[in-house]
Amino acid sequence: MSTASVATTSSGYLLVLAVMWPVIGILLSFVVSGRQIERLAWIVLPVGLVIAGATLIAVTQAGQSQIYVVGNWAPPLGIALRADGISVAMMMATAIVICVTGVFAHGEFSQPPGGPEERAPVVFWVLLFAIWSALNALVLGSDLFNLYVALELLTFAAVPLVCLKGKKETVEAALRYMLFALIGSVLYLLGAAMIYGAYGTLDIRLLSERGHAEPATLIAASLMTIGLLAKTALVPLHLWLPPAHAGAPAPGSAMLSALVVKGSFFVIIRIWFDAMPDLLSFRAAQLLGALGAAAILLGSVLALRQQRLKLLIAYSTIAQIGYLFFVFPLAAGLATGVAWSGIAWTASWLQLFSHAFAKAAMFMAAGLIAEALGHDRIAELGGIGRKLPITMLAFALSGLSLVGVPPSGGFSAKWLLLLATVMEGQWWWAVVIVLGGLLAGGYIFMVLGRLLASPTEVPALQAPVSRWRECAALSLAICAVLLGIWPLQSSDFLFIGR
Amino acid sequence: MNSATLFGFCSAAIVGLGLFGLIVSPHPLRRILAFNLLGSGVFLFFGVVARRGAAAGLGADPVPQALVITGIVVAFSATALAVALVLRLFALTDEAAPTSEADPKAGAEGGHS
């Protein structure tokens, strides 16, 4: 594509709206009183969902990327927003998870009636809007520096979410997360500077034309990738994730585990598959895949050893992130047009979305259980399933998707990944995928067994659990299962704009 | 050796020092300082890129300078957030505040603001 052909498309304004609408919500949050913010959210969330849906329809109908050229200055001088298949899919998943999280947070982050206004609810809703805007900016950005700014916005919104309850452990976890994220962002920026130095542009499309495999580009891409891996919490840079994701309040954990870590993964995909497709050598792809395999095995084994439910789910996130990195060895042939790569590409996105829904549902269910019992020690969960049947169903359905039991999004994703390993002749990844599934089955059934146990005395509930919040968790679990009806083949939709 | 190369080596040295501090020192405040040092190295590198005139032989490219300004703002906000977390942690752990040894309250109040 030449520079001259980059122009705003008919639905381009939707992209600006997607980024700006949550920001408008943030600005209004500072104007209205603390009690009104939740009411404001009931307007911001559905409208945001509609914007995401409209963008999805626009891109699907056009069958090509929707573009907005900011200020009508074409790249490389200006900056473009670009929505292709994968970015609108991400936008839609983000909108669904954020909206359900908003429903779930009702009650936990409502102002107490009668009493003085509290700070935590105000901060929570502002951070929720901020995460949404940052994620939309991230998936729509087509300029490496723009992506840097979006990544930083995402980090700044995610870190305070960890320590919203203000306990000492959570502040420690937030600080550790922040320091990892800082290393990540500065390494990314260094890589971006090197790329600009080498090619004189940061626009992803122009880079894919101008860029070629040379040592400087390879070093830059490696620096950026290492920085992003720290933010994605891929082994061995995962140490910050369990305390941060387990310590955050349940709606926060849901967004952090389902969406925030995926944001930085999305940028890694943009770098290797969009900006510099020639650079993804066999060795680099195998290395990233190996790190993913290590994450699956280590995360799953550590999850099996946890005593607390939220920590178990957090370690499971580390393992499930590992699957995403099989896209590098298995879909590496995408640039050169190897036919089977499309399967691995589809599988990875399916894994990303089904994990997002399932993990958000699971963290919500765990939050409800912890709220009802006053603790989340796995050994003492016996029989809670009788008291909270909907919560237990949500946990079970999302767990089955994580394990990969059909029919579920997790099953389709892992099936397609296995298919890709066979077609590509890289059987060693298949071993890890099967082992990871078995280990996931271990830790999910360990918890499910406790939930379903019939103890001599059913535990007393410390606090009543709202039916609405249970249904919110269940609806996301059902989304994860429904992804299982996705046709088991390479999806054209995810190739729009490629 | 021209000035761009010289400053390039300088930025590489600063980046190395910052990375070393970030990995080696256990104290959060030192790590935040190391992050800032590392950031300065990166910003200097942007300056070198601008001096070399990356985009099609321009004598001095203005784009990296615009990027540096944004980068500084982002690094400043990141530092502010990290320092706020450190202060809050100090207030919660009842240790002497990093600002003054004599008056631990001073740091605690800063953390609440």
Side-chain angles (χ1 to χ4, degrees):
Chain A
M1 187 182 288
S2 70
T3 317
S5 71
V6 177
T8 301
T9 50
S10 56
S11 305
Y13 67 95
L14 281 171
L15 313 187
V16 183
L17 214 53
V19 178
M20 286 314 293
W21 176 248
V23 175
I24 293 171
I26 296 174
L27 294 177
L28 288 178
S29 304
F30 294 127
V31 180
V32 301
S33 78
R35 294 194 181 285
Q36 304 290 330
I37 290 187
E38 211 186 334
R39 214 167 288 170
L40 178 72
W42 294 125
I43 304 168
V44 174
L45 296 185
V47 173
L49 186 63
V50 169
I51 295 171
T55 318
L56 180 82
I57 292 169
V59 170
T60 317
Q61 282 185 344
Q64 58 184 20
S65 309
Q66 294 295 308
I67 300 164
Y68 184 86
V69 182
V70 179
N72 227 0
W73 291 90
L77 203 54
I79 292 166
L81 296 176
R82 185 188 299 269
D84 54 9
I86 53 174
S87 46
V88 285
M90 274 288 279
M91 264 177 79
M92 202 59 216
T94 305
I96 293 171
V97 172
I98 294 252
C99 285
V100 178
T101 306
V103 174
F104 180 82
H106 173 69
E108 187 170 357
F109 287 105
S110 299
Q111 294 288 353
E117 264 182 29
E118 285 182 5
R119 208 182 70 170
V122 177
V123 177
F124 172 79
W125 291 106
V126 169
L127 292 178
L128 182 131
F129 297 151
I131 283 186
W132 200 357
S133 173
L135 273 169
N136 280 348
L138 196 76
V139 298
L140 295 175
S142 68
D143 177 280
L144 290 179
F145 193 78
N146 233 13
L147 292 182
Y148 165 74
V149 175
L151 270 171
E152 291 308 274
L153 287 176
L154 190 61
T155 305
F156 296 166
V159 168
L161 209 52
V162 172
C163 58
L164 214 50
K165 293 276 159 101
K167 281 200 206 113
K168 192 191 150 209
E169 306 83 57
T170 62
V171 177
E172 270 172 0
L175 186 60
R176 194 195 265 196
Y177 179 13
M178 186 72 197
L179 287 171
F180 267 91
L182 288 184
I183 300 176
S185 57
V186 80
L187 289 181
Y188 180 91
L189 190 61
L190 186 56
M194 291 178 78
I195 294 221
Y196 188 87
Y199 300 110
T201 182
L202 289 169
D203 184 77
I204 287 173
R205 284 299 153 122
L206 293 177
L207 277 175
S208 68
E209 291 162 13
R210 292 185 198 177
H212 43 268
E214 55 177 343
T217 330
L218 193 62
I219 293 171
S222 309
L223 282 170
M224 294 168 100
T225 309
I226 294 169
L228 292 165
L229 291 184
K231 292 194 178 214
T232 316
L234 185 70
V235 170
L237 298 167
H238 63 287
L239 292 171
W240 61 266
L241 187 141
H245 285 199
S253 311
M255 284 193 286
L256 290 172
S257 242
L259 303 174
V260 173
V261 287
K262 310 285 165 52
S264 37
F265 173 75
F266 190 89
V267 180
I268 304 179
I269 293 280
R270 277 273 188 256
I271 291 174
W272 290 98
F273 284 98
D274 286 325
M276 286 162 278
D278 304 338
L279 211 55
L280 192 59
S281 62
F282 181 75
R283 272 193 205 161
Q286 292 290 319
L287 179 66
L288 284 167
L291 289 177
I296 293 175
L297 298 177
L298 190 68
S300 304
V301 170
L302 287 174
L304 271 170
R305 300 178 45 147
Q306 295 308 308
Q307 312 285 322
R308 287 185 46 224
L309 184 55
K310 284 191 90 176
L311 272 173
L312 180 147
I313 303 175
Y315 276 105
S316 145
T317 297
I318 293 178
Q320 296 289 325
I321 287 170
Y323 287 101
L324 299 176
F325 284 84
F326 287 159
V327 74
F328 297 100
L330 295 178
L334 212 58
T336 45
V338 177
W340 294 112
S341 297
I343 299 258
W345 180 255
T346 309
S348 300
W349 292 104
L350 205 49
Q351 163 71 9
L352 195 154
F353 300 132
S354 60
H355 175 254
F357 294 136
K359 196 45 70 73
M362 198 172 254
F363 261 121
M364 287 176 186
L368 289 173
I369 290 171
E371 218 170 280
L373 286 177
H375 70 82
D376 67 341
R377 291 184 292 278
I378 296 169
E380 297 166 38
L381 291 179
I384 189 70
R386 298 183 168 226
K387 287 274 184 175
L388 303 170
I390 302 179
T391 306
M392 199 211 59
L393 185 61
F395 190 94
L397 287 179
S398 50
L400 294 183
S401 177
L402 289 188
V403 178
V405 177
S408 67
F411 164 74
S412 306
K414 278 151 203 161
W415 177 260
L416 287 174
L417 272 179
L418 281 174
L419 199 62
T421 58
V422 175
M423 297 302 180
E424 296 269 335
Q426 301 184 24
W427 54 270
W428 46 94
W429 306 125
V431 177
V432 180
I433 292 168
V434 172
L435 259 178
L438 281 176
L439 288 167
Y443 61 73
I444 294 297
F445 288 115
M446 182 173 83
V447 177
L448 270 183
R450 299 272 181 205
L451 291 177
L452 287 165
S454 43
T456 43
E457 52 183 308
V458 178
L461 295 192
Q462 307 259 325
V465 172
S466 132
R467 188 59 58 86
W468 263 109
R469 305 183 64 199
E470 288 193 282
C471 289
L474 183 62
S475 67
L476 280 181
I478 291 174
C479 281
V481 171
L482 283 182
L483 276 179
I485 61 174
W486 192 298
L488 287 175
Q489 59 192 31
S490 173
S491 161
D492 292 339
F493 173 72
L494 292 171
F495 283 93
I496 292 176
R498 303 197 68 75
Chain B
M1 185 189 287
N2 61 9
S3 65
T5 317
L6 180 65
F7 281 108
F9 281 123
C10 283
S11 78
I14 297 174
V15 166
L17 281 173
L19 207 53
F20 178 77
L22 207 49
I23 292 167
V24 169
S25 54
H27 196 284
L29 197 58
R30 279 174 180 261
R31 290 181 139 191
I32 294 169
L33 288 174
F35 159 73
N36 272 279
L37 189 63
L38 181 46
S40 305
V42 176
F43 298 148
L44 184 58
F45 184 70
F46 267 110
V48 172
V49 167
R51 187 71 190 86
R52 281 179 62 217
L58 281 172
D61 189 353
V63 175
Q65 303 179 23
L67 300 184
V68 164
I69 292 170
T70 318
I72 288 172
V73 173
V74 172
F76 170 74
S77 343
T79 310
L81 181 54
V83 168
L85 284 172
V86 169
L87 282 172
R88 191 87 189 94
L89 197 58
F90 268 104
L92 287 169
T93 43
D94 279 327
E95 284 183 33
T99 41
S100 73
E101 295 285 326
D103 182 17
K105 285 276 182 218
E109 280 158 17
H112 285 296
S113 63

